[in-house]
DNA sequence: GATATTCCTG
DNA sequence: CAGGAATATC
């Protein structure tokens, strides 16, 4: 036993180290059978008679000092329990097993065919534009549109006729040649990029799969000007709108639009190749979305439980409009722990099961509490757009029970994590160097299951974390009042469970154990099993010894308090809480480690 | 008033 | 685990 663990809290339980009683006596403290029997009729207590019987001290003496930890000695129970053999108590525990029922009835995509189709579409567009500047615009658009919402052939013919009248294109020959050449280059790039074009392309929801498949074409050109600068949905809308315009300007406009999109798509694709090739192995959605949708803070492959901004259910007034870019880059940095803080992650990549269990137990109640979206981009327009991504994003996002309670469907699919994007459970995250180097971290706007897991692990050290500690440990979360409250609530819930278990086991011990010396909490004890099952379900966290000591102290506190019948008093637990809260340890640095850059 | 905590409930 | 009520503390 490392004495240092006691150096900090060097506390002595008021119930164990009694004022005026020698430690030996304290250690052999036994219950007064009469008292017990009077308080708990029917509970028979067998007492050891191997030492002087010590009658129960008066309560005034027992809890005479509010500050139980300050005045008293001692690790008395350590010294006085030399035969601490972890035999402890074998008390019944109520183990719970969650039923395995995870249905995932969402869409399935034929990725191969989808990619080919998309690529063919892009190439077709380019081909059309390259071959004939006069028609390619509409041709390409018509083609796209045809794919999208089933545009009829005659409609396209009419449109083409409008174009053939030579009304529209006001580009000079020089401009056209320049564009022509540019498009050839683009096409060459696309050929080299290959399937990567899907990255950019797939970013756009196809209309036929979108809930907004029936857009109204009442937009005006002015709307185009405004909307196009906002979102890609605006672009999309404009393109469709323009298609139905009969004015010749639309030709040029559509060409511009198409050029713009193609250019963006290709540049994004090329960028993503050079910047993070491994990402392609995991999810081609990443790059394009990050750039376009600032709200789509998805980090596929980085964090399985990374949330996709969900439907905002909180009032925007509560949103903290905070300049987000505190750590360079245009993107919100998500910082996970660099190095495993545990020497021995027993289940290095067991997050799946852990998360799965968590998700299993979730009741899909749409209480509407979720993350907030502090940026303007996340207002209605963007959120509406996110809905259109549902189908495809559901395949890559893992709904977090913590932050996405309003998720529409119970999909709990996990993304197939690529070989370079592995993640160990919780905060013990082995992060892709690629991601780290590219600063593609994101600041979470909500708490994820991993955060919950981390919080549970933290509980092994600190039961009463301050807000400051929480902010330090959950550095990758953008703190708001709600986030803070949620974290505090978590620990409150943790404590609740903790104390309930303590009381339960203490009462059980009261029946069969009369000597506090035999009240120990070892790693094999049922009490610890119950606690570990709750806070460390995956058993991938090395619970510090200190926690066992605190648990033991807590158990004894409850034991004595109940044995004294203090549980009849209104707030008898508060005295215990007061003792236990002083036993907090600092969270290890690993919990607080910030990204190095 | 805002925040934090406990207790109860689902 | 979250929501809500009650309570305590500041």
């Amino acid at each position: 036993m490392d004495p240092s663990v006691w150096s900090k809290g060097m506390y002595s339980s008021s119930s164990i180290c009694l004022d005026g009683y020698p430690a030996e006596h304290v250690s052999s403290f036994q219950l007064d059978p009469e008292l017990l029997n009077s308080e708990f009729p029917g509970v028979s207590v067998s007492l050891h008679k191997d030492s002087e019987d010590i009658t129960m001290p008066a309560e005034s003496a027992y809890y005479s000092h509010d500050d139980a930890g300050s005045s008293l000695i001692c690790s008395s129970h350590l010294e006085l329990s030399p035969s601490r053999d972890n035999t402890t108590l074998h008390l019944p525990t109520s183990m719970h097993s969650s039923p395995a029922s995870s249905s995932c009835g969402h869409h399935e995509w034929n990725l191969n065919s989808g990619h080919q189709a998309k690529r063919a579409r892009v190439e077709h567009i380019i081909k059309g534009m390259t071959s004939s500047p006069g028609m390619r615009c509409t041709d390409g658009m018509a083609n796209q549109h045809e794919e999208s919402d089933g545009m009829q052939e005659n409609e396209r013919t009419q449109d083409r006729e409008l174009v053939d009248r030579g009304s529209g294109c006001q580009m000079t020959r020089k401009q056209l040649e320049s564009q022509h050449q540019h498009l050839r280059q683009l096409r060459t790039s696309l050929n080299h990029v290959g399937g990567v074009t899907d990255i950019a392309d797939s970013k756009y929801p196809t209309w036929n799969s979108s809930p907004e498949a029936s857009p109204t074409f009442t937009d005006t050109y002015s709307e185009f000007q405004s909307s196009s600068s906002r979102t890609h949905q605006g672009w999309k809308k404009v393109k469709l709108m323009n298609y139905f315009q009969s004015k010749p300007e639309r030709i040029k406009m559509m060409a511009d639009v198409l050029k713009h999109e193609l250019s963006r798509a290709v540049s994004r694709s090329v960028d993503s190749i050079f910047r993070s090739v491994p990402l392609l192995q995991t999810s081609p959605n990443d790059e394009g979305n990050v750039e376009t949708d600032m709200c789509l803070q998805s980090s596929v492959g980085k964090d399985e439980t990374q949330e996709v901004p969900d439907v905002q259910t909180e009032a925007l007034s509560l949103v903290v409009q905070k300049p987000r870019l505190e750590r360079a880059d245009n993107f919100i940095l998500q910082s996970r722990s660099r190095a495993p803080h545990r020497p021995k992650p027993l289940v290095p990549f067991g997050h799946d099961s852990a998360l799965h269990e968590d998700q299993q137990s979730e009741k899909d109640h749409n209480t509407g509490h979720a993350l907030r979206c502090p940026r303007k981009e996340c207002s209605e327009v963007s959120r509406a757009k996110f809905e259109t991504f549902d189908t495809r994003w559901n395949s890559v996002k893992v709904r977090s029970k913590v932050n996405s309670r309003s998720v529409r469907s119970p999909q709990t699919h996990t993304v197939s994590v690529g070989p370079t994007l592995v993640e160990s459970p919780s905060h013990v995250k082995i992060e892709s160097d690629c991601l780290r180097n590219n600063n593609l971290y994101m600041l979470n706007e909500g708490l994820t299951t991993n955060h919950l897991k981390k919080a549970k692990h933290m509980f092994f050290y600190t039961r009463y974390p301050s807000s400051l500690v929480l902010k330090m440990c959950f550095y990758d979360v953008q703190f708001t009042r709600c986030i803070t409250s949620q974290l505090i609530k978590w620990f409150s819930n943790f404590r609740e469970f903790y104390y309930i278990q303590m009381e339960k086991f203490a009462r059980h011990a009261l029946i069969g154990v009369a000597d506090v010396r035999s009240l120990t909490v070892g790693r094999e004890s049922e009490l610890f099993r119950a606690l570990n099952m709750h806070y460390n379900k995956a058993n991938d966290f090395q619970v510090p010894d200190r926690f066992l000591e605190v648990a033991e102290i807590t158990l004894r506190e409850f034991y004595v308090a109940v044995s004294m019948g203090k549980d009849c008093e209104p707030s008898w637990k508060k005295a215990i809480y007061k003792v236990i809260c002083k036993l907090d340890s600092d969270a290890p640095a690993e919990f607080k480690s910030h990204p190095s850059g």
Side-chain angles (χ1 to χ4, degrees), chain A residues 69 81 85 210 220 256 263 265 278 282 289 375 434 504 520 534:
Chain A
S81 304
D85 53 5
S210 164
T220 61
D256 290 340
S263 177
T282 60
N289 283 291
R375 283 151 302 160
C434 164
K504 185 176 80 174
T520 59
H534 190 73

Side-chain angles (χ1 to χ4, degrees), chain A residues 43-48 89 91 505-515 518 559:
Chain A
V43 176
S44 63
V45 179
S46 61
L47 295 177
H48 300 281
L89 312 167
L91 300 173
F505 279 81
R507 291 186 183 278
H508 277 294
L510 208 58
I511 299 174
V513 179
D515 192 343
S518 55
Y559 177 87

Side-chain angles (χ1 to χ4, degrees), chain A residues 345-363:
Chain A
L346 297 178
V347 189
F349 310 115
H351 53 287
D352 244 349
S353 58
L355 292 177
H356 194 58
E357 286 178 80
D358 284 342
Q359 289 154 358
Q360 296 284 7
S361 61
E362 178 183 6
K363 285 160 267 183

